[in-house]
Amino acid sequence: KQEIFTELSKDYISGITFSGGDPLHENNLNEVLLLIQEIRTSYPDKTIWLYTGYTWDQIMDYSFYDSMSKFPNNTFEYADIEIKRRVIAKECDVLVDGEYIDEQKDLTLKWRGSNNQRVIDVQATLAQDDITVPVLHCGDHDDIPMGRETATAPVADIEENIVNFKGSSRKCCDA
């Protein structure tokens, strides 16, 4: 932990990325939550990226209460896990969602390995009225909409869902 904070204190370090295994796996939630909250408090201007096999829909789905009957003996534990996943995701700037699928591997994609994954600007998404439609981080590089966020949206609406990163005047993908 000390090494992470030493590195984050350097001006040329812009942020941190959580990946490997899955930071949102139930065995990692407590430690990841505490670490992200401490980073956010100590370094509010550093970006936090998180890679997860869960999709945005799975993380933000509030209908999980309806399915709690599947877990009658662990209802509170299950709810606690889902809430922690949401809190962690909401503390991030960018979330890359979806499992890596080798059959969909594409080396031309930025920040993701397979076509099914999305690079989501979390804070811009949460600022919308409808958080079920994620705002894509550098949406101009997300050429696979997966049918959820653009299936019925006109191109002009899609362009509105591409935002500048961290208040910058340029798009995050500009060279």
Side-chain angles (χ1 to χ4, degrees):
K1 180 176 162 182
Q2 185 55 46
E3 182 180 353
I4 291 171
F5 282 84
T6 298
E7 293 301 313
L8 284 171
S9 70
K10 298 175 181 174
D11 289 339
Y12 61 87
I13 301 294
S14 62
I16 188 168
T17 300
F18 288 84
S19 64
D22 193 331
L24 297 184
H25 184 276
E26 66 183 85
N27 293 334
N28 300 329
L29 292 175
N30 291 330
E31 291 79 16
V32 170
L33 178 58
L34 291 173
L35 185 56
I36 283 182
Q37 287 176 331
E38 192 170 343
I39 290 169
R40 189 56 76 205
T41 299
S42 300
Y43 303 101
D45 295 329
K46 302 286 185 176
T47 58
I48 298 175
W49 284 56
L50 185 137
Y51 284 75
T52 180
Y54 292 93
T55 65
W56 180 259
D57 304 333
Q58 291 169 325
I59 297 166
M60 295 297 163
D61 181 16
Y62 288 92
S63 68
F64 79 92
Y65 291 107
D66 297 335
S67 64
M68 284 174 36
S69 61
K70 292 188 268 182
F71 306 93
N73 297 327
N74 300 317
T75 301
F76 293 112
E77 183 178 331
Y78 177 70
D80 186 52
I81 289 168
E82 296 302 312
I83 291 167
K84 285 178 183 173
R85 283 190 183 122
R86 278 191 205 97
V87 171
I88 290 169
K90 288 178 177 184
E91 289 290 328
C92 295
D93 296 295
V94 177
L95 185 140
V96 180
D97 79 338
E99 291 183 30
Y100 169 78
I101 299 174
D102 198 43
E103 293 78 27
Q104 295 185 35
K105 176 179 173 181
D106 185 344
L107 298 177
T108 66
L109 299 172
K110 289 194 178 225
W111 305 298
R112 58 196 173 116
S114 58
N115 284 318
N116 64 300
Q117 296 173 307
R118 297 177 294 178
V119 183
I120 298 169
D121 185 321
V122 174
Q123 299 310 311
T125 300
L126 295 174
Q128 304 182 117
D129 290 333
D130 182 3
I131 66 167
T132 64
V133 180
V135 175
L136 301 179
H137 176 70
C138 293
D140 50 342
H141 288 284
D142 192 347
D143 48 3
I144 306 296
M146 295 177 59
R148 288 191 289 251
E149 55 283 289
T150 60
T152 59
V155 172
D157 291 343
I158 295 168
E159 289 298 316
E160 287 177 14
N161 262 15
I162 300 172
V163 298
N164 297 331
F165 189 61
K166 283 280 200 185
S168 170
S169 61
R170 62 186 192 117
K171 291 221 186 321
C172 57
C173 300
D174 292 346

